[in-house]
């Protein structure tokens, strides 16, 4: 009995709300011209001031959260640059991005495996195979030269683990050195001396 009563009550409520919506006239749009009345426009300066205030507030909240976390640790460091409570700490960025390859500029045309390779910029990659190591020179995605290299433990006094450089040797040769996490290598390449133009 209760279910029937609730069903009848809900249906009466739904039907009465439908008649209210049907009674309204949606064909007049007289109020649309005044829809934006009462709202004022803001300038760029006001917008920027508001954004700065919001960013300052969020930074303040982050500082409070950070301080709350730091309160768990007792004591402080003997050196101020290592102190956890020092607000001027900055995350150090690595000196070199870990990139897949290095970029070198070869200033002269050179010969690899009996073929002429033109001067220009080359991406350098290393490849270690069962028959030895190779230094690969790319322009865009095109392999321009595959140079058989000699693996070495010498780091050529380079500052980084990953490096590629060209070093002059004599009048007709230069040395290309390459280093990565897996191996260090070098190879000699013969270059064509440019003609003098007067």
């Amino acid at each position: 009995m209760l279910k029937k009563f609730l069903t009848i009550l809900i249906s009466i409520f739904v039907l009465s709300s439908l008649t209210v919506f049907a009674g309204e006239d949606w064909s007049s749009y007289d109020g649309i011209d005044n829809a934006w009345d009462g709202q004022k426009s803001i300038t760029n300066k006001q917008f920027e001031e508001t954004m700065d205030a919001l960013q300052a507030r969020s930074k303040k909240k982050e500082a409070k959260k950070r301080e709350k976390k730091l309160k768990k640790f007792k004591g402080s460091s003997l050196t101020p640059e290592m102190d956890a409570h020092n607000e001027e700490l900055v995350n150090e960025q690595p000196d070199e991005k870990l990139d897949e390859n290095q970029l070198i500029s070869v200033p002269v045309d050179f010969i690899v495996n009996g073929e002429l390779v033109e001067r220009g910029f080359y991406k350098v990659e290393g490849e270690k195979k069962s028959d030895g190591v190779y230094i690969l020179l790319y322009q865009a995605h095109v392999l321009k030269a595959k140079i058989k290299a000699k693996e070495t433990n010498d780091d050529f006094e380079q500052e980084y683990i990953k490096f590629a450089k060209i070093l002059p040797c004599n009048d007709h040769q230069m040395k290309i050195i390459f280093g990565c996490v897996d191996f260090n290598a070098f190879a000699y390449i013969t270059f064509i001396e440019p003609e003098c133009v007067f």
Side-chain angles (χ1 to χ4, degrees):
M1 182 71 184
L2 183 61
K3 288 183 182 180
K4 289 182 181 178
F5 177 72
L6 285 174
T7 308
I8 293 171
L9 184 63
I10 291 172
S11 62
I12 290 172
F13 178 72
V14 170
L15 290 174
S16 65
S17 63
L18 287 176
T19 57
V20 168
F21 286 121
E24 287 185 26
D25 184 17
W26 290 90
S27 62
S28 70
Y29 297 102
D30 296 336
I32 197 127
D33 293 332
N34 303 326
W36 297 104
D37 288 351
Q39 294 186 15
K40 66 176 190 174
S41 62
I42 60 168
T43 63
N44 287 342
K45 183 179 178 183
Q46 291 171 329
F47 176 76
E48 289 173 5
E49 288 172 353
T50 304
M51 289 304 294
D52 290 341
L54 290 174
Q55 287 176 352
R57 188 182 303 167
S58 68
K59 285 181 182 177
K60 197 173 185 179
K61 284 182 182 178
E62 288 175 10
K64 283 183 182 179
K65 286 181 184 177
R66 182 173 179 262
E67 191 61 35
K68 199 180 226 183
K69 287 180 183 178
L70 290 176
K71 283 182 182 178
K72 293 178 184 177
F73 302 105
K74 294 183 179 178
S76 61
S77 176
L78 295 175
T79 56
E81 60 272 358
M82 299 296 285
D83 189 4
H85 298 284
N86 186 358
E87 291 294 326
E88 297 177 6
L89 287 179
V90 178
N91 289 338
E92 290 186 14
Q93 298 295 326
D95 292 331
E96 180 182 9
K97 293 181 181 175
L98 291 175
D99 195 6
E100 287 293 321
N101 42 52
Q102 302 293 318
L103 186 68
I104 61 170
S105 171
V106 181
V108 291
D109 298 339
F110 58 98
I111 299 170
V112 175
N113 300 329
E115 293 185 21
L116 176 70
V117 181
E118 294 182 354
R119 64 180 168 236
F121 289 93
Y122 291 94
K123 290 190 296 186
V124 183
E125 292 183 12
E127 184 175 65
K128 191 171 191 176
K129 292 190 170 183
S130 59
D131 63 334
V133 294
Y134 294 91
I135 298 174
L136 309 173
L137 301 180
Y138 286 92
Q139 280 187 333
H141 298 291
V142 179
L143 177 65
K144 292 292 187 173
K146 184 174 184 178
I147 305 167
K148 176 102 169 133
K150 184 174 181 182
E151 189 172 0
T152 181
N153 289 330
D154 187 8
D155 64 356
F156 304 101
E157 298 179 6
Q158 295 298 307
E159 190 174 346
Y160 303 111
I161 292 174
K162 196 156 180 144
F163 60 87
K165 252 186 184 175
I166 292 205
L167 305 172
C169 290
N170 56 41
D171 291 341
H172 297 288
Q173 279 189 327
M174 52 189 164
K175 182 178 185 180
I176 182 167
I177 59 172
F178 175 80
C180 64
V181 177
D182 298 328
F183 65 91
N184 292 347
F186 68 93
Y188 292 100
I189 52 178
T190 304
F191 63 87
I192 300 170
E193 199 166 326
E195 296 177 9
C196 294
V197 178
F198 293 103

